[in-house]
Amino acid sequence: MTRVARPALGYALTLAAAAFFAVNGTVSTLALDAGIEPTRLTALRCTGAALALVVVLAVVAPGRLRVTWREVPFLAVFGVVGVALTQFLYYVAIGRMPVGIALVFEMTAPVFIALYVWLVRREKVRSRLWLALLLSLSGLVFVAEVWQDGGSLDVVGVGAALLAALCLATYYLMGERGTVTADPVTLTCWSFVAAAVFWAVAAPWWRFDAAVLTERVPLSVGSLQAPLWLLVAWIVLLGAVVPFWLSISALRHLAPTAAGLVATVEPVFASVVAWLWVEQVLSGWQVLGGAVVLTGIVLAQTARTSPAPTPLPETPAALSS
């Protein structure tokens, strides 16, 4: 039976995924503020998502779990750099500056991708790439408000967000090559498994005091509190697994470029959620800069002349988120 593409449904699924990722930024900020370290929060998210994806696939599509030994080195690098480090650096960034601003920096990944394919792969790119680069750089100047004593943002946070952008660009570039011969669902599942194994070594579980998960965390809504384990469960299920499946489903109805463009609303959603929930207020210059950067990102997304294989959908598209 031929599958009928329904673009309207694809757009709705992509927007829903962006919304879940955006809310996850604020939930993760609350968990970080409660004292859990970025390394441990990343390990919990990667491990929880890996377990959930493996269990679901084992039940509904066990064939998608099959990989060859030849694929293991690729999956290891893909999972460590594209998933484990991207998420860790994102958490470092949002622990030091507003969620929406961190996402704006991280979402410059398409600009790095376009530059890479032009400089290294020698692909032809449209001239709009240079305008995209100019807009992104000038927008980041406004976002960082560099005229205020060297900048209003934390240097470590900015550095972490930019490194996260590079890791995310690596994720997409490797994903493009990987999906030529492998199923995107299989690659994404095993990338989370590789990330979970990496953190099991880098941050051994026996050094983690699980009792901290029972501590109650203020939710910044009156006197409402919740146990930290509940926030972590949200981060794993509604901040990783659910938006992942929404993104996968959207790619059945939308071209990857279209899905990527729609996903650029994530920093907007994230900024609104953070403003309403934890009162993270952005200045007028930062809002203007964010809009300029997102315009540059949209141009960069469409700068490549060669069609790219279907990318993997941790959008913008984040883990980040």
Side-chain angles (χ1 to χ4, degrees):
M1 181 177 178
T2 303
R3 187 186 301 276
V4 178
R6 299 182 344 189
L9 177 59
Y11 287 121
L13 292 171
T14 303
L15 287 171
F20 274 107
F21 281 129
V23 173
N24 182 65
T26 295
V27 176
S28 298
T29 298
L30 292 174
L32 292 168
D33 289 344
I36 191 168
E37 296 180 352
T39 51
R40 187 56 60 191
L41 185 58
T42 310
L44 288 168
R45 187 181 190 228
C46 291
T47 304
L51 290 172
L53 290 171
V54 168
V55 169
V56 170
L57 288 179
V59 173
V60 303
R64 284 183 156 179
L65 290 174
R66 296 193 188 98
V67 293
T68 65
W69 283 108
R70 188 190 306 179
E71 296 173 289
V72 171
F74 174 90
L75 291 170
V77 176
F78 187 54
V80 171
V81 178
V83 177
L85 294 182
T86 299
Q87 293 184 18
F88 166 70
L89 291 165
Y90 171 67
Y91 283 149
V92 171
I94 66 173
R96 293 172 172 270
M97 57 187 186
V99 173
I101 295 300
L103 277 173
V104 165
F105 277 94
E106 185 181 350
M107 285 185 62
T108 56
V111 179
F112 292 119
I113 291 172
L115 287 172
Y116 174 84
V117 300
W118 174 66
L119 290 170
V120 179
R121 292 186 184 174
R122 301 298 182 184
E123 290 184 16
K124 291 183 178 180
V125 295
R126 297 182 176 91
S127 57
R128 71 188 67 173
L129 172 61
W130 311 116
L131 179 58
L133 183 60
L134 176 63
L135 289 173
S136 297
L137 291 176
S138 58
L140 290 178
V141 169
F142 288 115
V143 168
E145 296 179 322
V146 296
W147 56 86
Q148 294 190 9
D149 296 325
S152 63
L153 299 178
D154 181 88
V155 174
V156 174
V158 171
L162 288 174
L163 287 174
L166 289 173
C167 290
L168 184 61
T170 302
Y171 177 84
Y172 276 104
L173 288 166
M174 292 187 70
E176 284 182 4
R177 291 298 175 91
T179 51
V180 172
T181 57
D183 177 18
V185 177
T186 301
L187 279 178
T188 306
C189 175
W190 284 109
S191 69
F192 271 102
V193 171
V197 172
F198 169 81
W199 284 115
V201 175
W205 289 106
W206 60 83
R207 297 180 184 173
F208 176 54
D209 181 11
V212 71
L213 296 176
T214 63
E215 295 182 4
R216 301 192 68 80
V217 178
L219 298 181
S220 299
V221 181
S223 58
L224 187 62
Q225 294 184 332
L228 183 55
W229 66 261
L230 186 60
L231 296 186
V232 172
W234 175 290
I235 291 167
V236 170
L237 297 175
L238 300 181
V241 178
V242 169
F244 160 73
W245 285 111
L246 289 171
S247 299
I248 281 284
S249 300
L251 291 175
R252 297 176 179 175
H253 305 282
L254 288 180
T257 300
L261 293 176
V262 174
T264 57
V265 302
E266 185 182 339
V268 179
F269 286 169
S271 296
V272 172
V273 171
W275 171 54
L276 294 175
W277 193 340
V278 293
E279 298 182 347
Q280 284 188 354
V281 180
L282 306 183
S283 71
W285 287 114
Q286 289 175 326
V287 172
L288 173 62
V292 172
V293 172
L294 292 182
T295 302
I297 291 169
V298 169
L299 292 176
Q301 288 266 25
T302 58
R304 298 174 66 179
T305 57
S306 301
T310 300
L312 300 176
E314 174 86 50
T315 54
L319 283 184
S320 108
S321 329

